[in-house]
Amino acid sequence: MMMDDVNDLQGSPEDLSAGIRQRSKRISKYGVTHEPPKDDAIYYPQDDTHSFFARGRDIESVYTNHKYTEREKETLGTFESLDYLPSHSEVYKQWLRRQPRRLDWDRWIMMALIGFSVGLIGFLLHQLIDVISEAKWHKARDYIEDDKVLIAWGWVLGYSLIFVIASTASVVFLRPSAGGSGIPELIGFLNGTVVRHIFNIKTMVVKFFSCCFAVGGGMPVGPEGPMIHLGSLVGAGLSQFKSDTLKFRLPFFERFRNSEDRRNFISAGAAAGVASAFGAPVGGLLFSMEEVSSFWNMKLSWQIFFCSMVSTFTTDLFNSAFDGFRYQGNFGLFKSDKYIIFQVTKGIDVNILAFIPTVILGVLGGVFGALFTFINLKIARTRKRLLANIEAPWKQKVVRMCEPILIIIIYASVSVFLPAAFGCSPVSSIPGAAENSRSLQAYTCPTGSQNSSNKTYNQVATLLFVTGEQGIHQLFSRNTHLEFDYGPLVAVFVIYFILACWSAGTSISSGLVVPMFFIGGLYGRIIGRAMVSFFGVYAPGGYWSWMDPGAFALIGAASFFGGVSRLTMSLTVIMMEITNDIQFLLPIMVSVMVAKWVGDFVTHPLYHALLELKCIPFLDAEPVIIHEGKDIVNLELYTAKNVMSSPPVFLHSFEPVDRIAHLLLDTPHGGFPVVKKANNEEVFDGLITRLELTILLMNEDAFEPSGGEDSSLRDPEVTHVEYQQLTLDKLSNPRGTQDILESYCDDTGYQDLYINLRPYVNQSAVCIRQNFSLHRTYIIFRTLGLRHLTVVDEHNHVVGIITRKDLMGFNLEERIGEVLVQALARERTNVEMAETTHPIV
């Protein structure tokens, strides 16, 4: 957030009081007078005049910064940030001294609790989805076998509509923030931006049931993204042992109630969510490290690895004994077909020639992944524009509910009627298919007896008349070279690609992993089928046996996942853990890397692009600044002075109550530098946040009658507000708080009352010199997870402040562009002066 001019706060108390009485904006429960859009789905910047294919908007390589409109920049400024480390004040140190001295055994206990809870939620989620989906398809198959196609369509459509309506209604009416996967918001929060309502018990309940109903009802989405968000919700809530929604605060694990530990447990919960969803504990650890978390260390790696292990163990333990909530016995027997979700039972020797189609699949993954991202963003912008033009809130909600309803009508109809457009295929003509014949869908084709040679099946029904995971199993199956022809694969690819892209972003809780595997598996299978058409079918174990369409479907799935998300390490490990196909490790690595390289030249990764669409501030690990679209700028050549906001609004260690009240009511700043007297000069002493000041003003015991004494002589150990009071993240009564602050401004008696801020000031607030390298400024801010970075001169006088928005790529380009223009103007002036002084003869 940019700092206002300090002169805005000057004037007589009467003038300021009049301004307060005329104030139209009210303080929110988060202590600010400005907030982000309450519902991101209906927010659309009216000044968006970019063309459809404008570069820097939805088509932008990772080497360019996103172009925001002026309204979007204002929205960016409404998001609050948070520090990774807690405020190092006197009250914080007093609180630390009172904490019991122990090793980290309680931290390991908390990691185990989070892992167990997330594993149990993952088990319940998948069991509910299986029960809902199997009931639908089982009944539909019965109708199809009796040649009652229309009744089957009516059953599938009606059944799906019931659950999809329940899914979207719960999101639209109860908790809009529970929509989507929640991964972009999670990434933004762990990067240091406060995103409202994403860690709320109400969000968790709505997320769980909306995901169950959407996936079980048959939407072309998956449960893995919501499972990651649910894991982070467990980490955020369980580690604090308190709930503002349920109004309780238990006296356990109180030492974890600080920003650093809370964020670490959220990262652990996200990793546990991946581990439970995929049965991939190592993949969960790497996913949290590579994609979700912005702050990491080795000790945290061990703890999150343990949390992921417990989560996977819990899910697999319950899955070993239950199927659709029916006890099957064999409790504790971890069967590979259950805990390896896409298990490949027949390995294939990899040939060096296989890397040629692998590279082709990687290129396709990058192209299709970028296309998927581009179309998804365009649909999201169109949706926002349409909803923003609807004034009545109830009409907006109806329209939002109609979108997933329309999608499920189309998808259910396609699933039932599209197979009729394709003929029957004999099972006997497919080498290796006999072993897999039980999962082939006959649709209206003659089934024959179990072992008869006239048994037939429908290729499209085998892919669409089942759940997404079962369809992926068919695509990954080995030694089934001729199971699918080009026509069914292309038809399903086009339809599923469009519907999955459309579904992502609607008002349901949904993920994209299953659709990404399915889409990638389809075009991978097409490439593999082409190899078979050109070179024929070869027996297993030979030199050419690597030409298996199922193997290329696996590589295609990895490439499309990589092309959309741009994950590398975690994706490769996840693919290994969910398929148990270690022989194809190298081809998967190659396809993922090529897909990333190709996709990076076209669009930003999907989750980061959604952060930009939602206007959530985010700092990349390394800034890439390009001047006028061609010249790469070296930030080492610029200083903090070039981007800082100045002059800053600062406070003294001993400050009048009415001035602090004016600051809180008249400025939007999230924090204020605090100065002290040293050798008759005001030098930087620390920093205090807006919410801390608000809480202090709500405790009149902290007010003192005189400000004439030297504040340095005051005892910092004497405090009137405890640390736990200052850790609140929102106000319980914002309207009452505003009334109290206005009374402080109107009542002249508060001009003679002061607050000693020294016990509450962050004494370890980072400050840098104004000539400090801009590149190193960015590294310090990003690495330490700062909210504010104070800039001082050589005498330690506060001259400016740097916030998250100041270091975002678009702002750095604007500020450095201004510096370059000024430098060029000075250079021209010097040349003109030189020519005037020394004219050329």
Side-chain angles (χ1 to χ4, degrees):
M1 284 165 285
M2 310 304 289
M3 289 293 171
D4 296 339
D5 196 305
V6 71
N7 293 327
D8 292 343
L9 297 175
Q10 295 177 351
S12 66
E14 292 77 11
D15 294 336
L16 290 173
S17 298
I20 294 295
R21 284 189 291 271
Q22 297 172 3
R23 185 176 295 103
S24 59
K25 292 184 178 180
R26 299 198 65 86
I27 289 180
S28 72
K29 61 183 178 181
Y30 299 100
V32 295
T33 55
H34 56 284
E35 282 194 285
K38 291 185 177 180
D39 191 349
D40 172 76
I42 61 175
Y43 168 75
Y44 180 76
Q46 298 299 326
D47 60 342
D48 185 3
T49 57
H50 293 88
S51 63
F52 191 81
F53 293 104
R55 297 190 64 82
R57 291 292 283 175
D58 300 327
I59 297 180
E60 51 191 351
S61 76
V62 295
Y63 311 105
T64 60
N65 290 300
H66 185 75
K67 293 181 180 178
Y68 293 93
T69 68
E70 292 303 317
R71 288 285 299 275
E72 287 175 333
K73 292 176 184 177
E74 293 175 5
T75 305
L76 280 168
T78 63
F79 281 90
E80 292 290 317
S81 298
L82 61 147
D83 287 296
Y84 178 61
L85 297 173
S87 174
H88 189 246
S89 60
E90 285 295 333
V91 290
Y92 172 68
K93 289 187 282 187
Q94 291 176 23
W95 175 79
L96 279 180
R97 294 187 189 103
R98 294 195 298 269
Q99 300 309 302
R101 301 181 184 276
R102 61 168 71 95
L103 297 176
D104 278 345
W105 59 264
D106 56 343
R107 199 177 302 274
W108 291 94
I109 290 176
M110 180 54 66
M111 288 291 181
L113 288 174
I114 292 172
F116 175 80
S117 301
V118 174
L120 182 59
I121 290 174
F123 161 75
L124 295 174
L125 182 69
H126 284 87
Q127 292 289 313
L128 279 171
I129 290 173
D130 290 343
V131 168
I132 295 172
S133 59
E134 284 300 324
K136 178 179 73 173
W137 293 120
H138 180 75
K139 192 70 174 177
R141 292 188 196 102
D142 291 341
Y143 286 128
I144 292 293
E145 289 175 1
D146 296 334
D147 290 329
K148 299 177 180 178
V149 177
L150 286 178
I151 297 178
W153 171 72
W155 162 258
V156 170
L157 182 58
Y159 187 92
S160 299
L161 279 174
I162 292 173
F163 287 99
V164 171
I165 290 173
S167 173
T168 184
S170 61
V171 170
V172 171
F173 290 99
L174 298 179
R175 183 63 81 185
S177 58
S181 67
I183 294 178
E185 292 83 355
L186 173 62
I187 293 173
F189 180 86
L190 292 178
N191 189 255
T193 301
V194 179
V195 184
R196 312 299 188 200
H197 303 308
I198 63 168
F199 299 122
N200 183 281
I201 186 67
K202 189 176 178 181
T203 303
M204 182 176 178
V205 173
V206 173
K207 191 96 182 178
F208 181 87
F209 286 105
S210 177
C211 179
C212 283
F213 297 155
V215 180
M219 288 287 288
V221 295
E224 288 78 12
M227 192 62 227
I228 295 170
H229 188 192
L230 287 169
S232 66
L233 275 159
V234 173
L238 194 59
S239 63
Q240 304 300 293
F241 262 73
K242 66 182 181 69
S243 172
D244 294 331
T245 304
L246 301 179
K247 308 297 182 184
F248 72 84
R249 179 184 291 255
L250 301 178
F252 306 109
F253 299 101
E254 291 184 348
R255 77 185 189 104
F256 296 148
R257 292 173 186 169
N258 60 78
S259 56
E260 179 184 10
D261 284 324
R262 185 168 185 253
R263 252 197 271 189
N264 288 344
F265 287 123
I266 289 173
S267 297
V274 176
S276 175
F278 294 107
V282 180
L285 168 68
L286 293 177
F287 179 85
S288 183
M289 180 181 70
E290 182 179 3
E291 179 69 359
V292 175
S293 301
S294 296
F295 313 102
W296 202 263
N297 58 65
M298 278 305 300
K299 188 175 182 180
L300 183 62
S301 299
W302 305 333
Q303 293 168 347
I304 291 182
F305 179 73
F306 173 70
C307 181
S308 299
M309 179 192 72
V310 174
S311 176
T312 304
F313 177 83
T314 303
T315 302
D316 290 344
L317 182 64
F318 285 106
N319 280 335
S320 68
F322 292 93
D323 185 9
F325 292 112
R326 294 186 299 272
Y327 183 69
Q328 304 294 315
N330 299 321
F331 184 79
L333 179 62
F334 293 173
K335 296 180 180 179
S336 58
D337 60 338
K338 282 199 171 185
Y339 74 87
I340 302 178
I341 57 177
F342 299 125
Q343 184 183 19
V344 174
T345 57
K346 296 181 180 179
I348 298 176
D349 296 331
V350 177
N351 192 304
I352 190 172
L353 297 176
F355 288 95
I356 297 174
T358 293
V359 171
I360 295 174
L361 285 171
V363 173
L364 290 175
V367 172
F368 285 134
L371 179 63
F372 186 93
T373 301
F374 176 76
I375 295 175
N376 182 262
L377 293 174
K378 287 303 179 185
I379 292 174
R381 292 191 189 279
T382 303
R383 181 187 299 117
K384 286 171 172 284
R385 185 186 299 113
L386 293 175
L387 290 173
N389 292 330
I390 301 174
E391 295 183 359
W394 69 269
K395 291 182 180 180
Q396 290 177 339
K397 294 178 179 179
V398 170
V399 171
R400 291 173 65 179
M401 286 187 61
C402 288
E403 190 178 10
I405 291 174
L406 178 60
I407 293 173
I408 195 60
I409 291 174
I410 296 173
Y411 189 56
S413 301
V414 167
S415 299
V416 175
F417 292 123
L418 184 62
F422 296 86
C424 300
S425 303
V427 175
S428 59
S429 65
I430 306 172
E435 302 175 10
N436 203 36
S437 61
R438 289 186 178 180
S439 54
L440 298 176
Q441 299 299 314
Y443 192 61
T444 57
C445 299
T447 57
S449 61
Q450 182 64 32
N451 299 316
S452 65
S453 60
N454 61 347
K455 186 174 183 180
T456 59
Y457 72 101
N458 187 287
Q459 297 184 22
V460 173
T462 300
L463 293 174
L464 292 182
F465 219 66
V466 292
T467 64
E469 291 187 0
Q470 291 171 337
I472 294 170
H473 272 289
Q474 289 298 322
L475 292 171
F476 287 0
S477 61
R478 299 291 171 85
N479 298 328
T480 55
H481 300 72
L482 304 177
E483 183 175 345
F484 298 105
D485 293 325
Y486 296 108
L489 290 173
V490 172
V492 174
F493 172 79
V494 173
I495 294 172
Y496 197 91
F497 186 97
I498 295 172
L499 292 179
C501 193
W502 185 8
S503 299
T506 56
S507 296
I508 56 172
S509 176
S510 61
L512 280 173
V513 175
V514 166
M516 285 191 287
F517 282 165
F518 196 85
I519 293 169
L522 285 168
Y523 71 73
R525 191 91 190 186
I526 293 173
I527 296 296
R529 186 68 171 79
M531 300 288 294
V532 171
S533 297
F534 283 119
F535 303 105
V537 178
Y538 289 88
Y543 186 82
W544 301 99
S545 62
W546 55 270
M547 286 188 293
D548 189 305
F552 288 109
L554 172 62
I555 298 173
S559 70
F560 188 70
F561 198 162
V564 173
S565 67
R566 314 295 156 78
L567 296 173
T568 54
M569 298 178 296
S570 59
L571 173 56
T572 302
V573 173
I574 287 173
M575 294 302 296
M576 291 298 98
E577 291 185 292
I578 66 175
T579 62
N580 198 32
D581 191 8
I582 194 66
Q583 288 170 291
F584 267 71
L585 172 62
L586 283 177
I588 287 175
M589 292 175 68
V590 170
S591 69
V592 167
M593 287 304 302
V594 173
K596 173 178 170 56
W597 288 333
V598 173
D600 280 349
F601 279 103
V602 186
T603 66
H604 286 185
L606 176 63
Y607 297 137
H608 290 209
L610 290 174
L611 280 169
E612 294 159 352
L613 177 70
K614 297 171 183 288
C615 297
I616 299 175
F618 179 82
L619 295 182
D620 279 311
E622 279 288 334
V624 178
I625 309 301
I626 300 179
H627 179 58
E628 295 182 348
K630 55 183 179 180
D631 299 324
I632 298 179
V633 176
N634 188 344
L635 295 185
E636 287 278 46
L637 301 176
Y638 300 89
T639 64
K641 183 179 180 180
N642 298 138
V643 299
M644 70 181 187
S645 300
S646 64
V649 179
F650 56 83
L651 295 167
H652 299 86
S653 298
F654 205 61
E655 194 70 54
V657 171
D658 70 320
R659 183 172 186 269
I660 297 177
H662 278 301
L663 285 175
L664 296 177
L665 291 168
D666 293 342
T667 68
H669 313 320
F672 301 90
V674 178
V675 298
K676 66 178 181 180
K677 285 287 184 69
N679 298 323
N680 294 323
E681 293 185 343
E682 293 181 335
V683 298
F684 179 65
D685 187 41
L687 192 138
I688 191 166
T689 67
R690 179 187 194 88
L691 200 54
E692 288 171 341
L693 286 173
T694 304
I695 294 170
L696 285 175
L697 288 187
M698 295 302 102
N699 290 268
E700 295 199 15
D701 291 341
F703 300 172
E704 299 183 21
S706 173
E709 306 146 34
D710 184 358
S711 62
S712 64
L713 300 178
R714 297 179 176 274
D715 185 4
E717 295 286 338
V718 178
T719 60
H720 301 279
V721 180
E722 294 295 327
Y723 171 72
Q724 287 294 333
Q725 297 175 262
L726 296 174
T727 58
L728 297 177
D729 53 6
K730 57 186 175 183
L731 302 173
S732 58
N733 183 12
R735 183 176 294 273
T737 299
Q738 172 141 354
D739 292 340
I740 292 174
L741 294 179
E742 290 182 355
S743 68
Y744 292 161
C745 297
D746 293 337
D747 190 341
T748 57
Y750 288 100
Q751 296 178 13
D752 298 323
L753 292 178
Y754 292 76
I755 293 183
N756 179 19
L757 299 178
R758 293 202 67 192
Y760 315 102
V761 170
N762 182 3
Q763 301 170 359
S764 296
V766 181
C767 68
I768 56 173
R769 294 271 294 273
Q770 58 184 344
N771 60 350
F772 196 80
S773 159
L774 182 54
H775 179 70
R776 303 177 194 207
T777 299
Y778 188 98
I779 292 174
I780 289 175
F781 195 100
R782 172 67 162 69
T783 304
L784 294 180
L786 301 180
R787 182 179 181 183
H788 304 93
L789 182 57
T790 307
V791 184
V792 299
D793 61 14
E794 61 272 15
H795 301 295
N796 207 27
H797 299 154
V798 178
V799 295
I801 197 163
I802 294 174
T803 62
R804 175 173 299 269
K805 182 182 174 183
D806 297 323
L807 293 178
M808 290 187 68
F810 77 90
N811 193 66
L812 289 177
E813 287 184 349
E814 291 177 2
R815 295 292 190 92
I816 291 174
E818 294 171 0
V819 173
L820 290 173
V821 169
Q822 293 171 3
L824 183 61
R826 286 195 300 268
E827 185 178 338
R828 289 176 179 172
T829 303
N830 293 337
V831 170
E832 292 173 356
M833 292 178 61
E835 291 176 350
T836 304
T837 307
H838 304 287
I840 299 176
V841 180

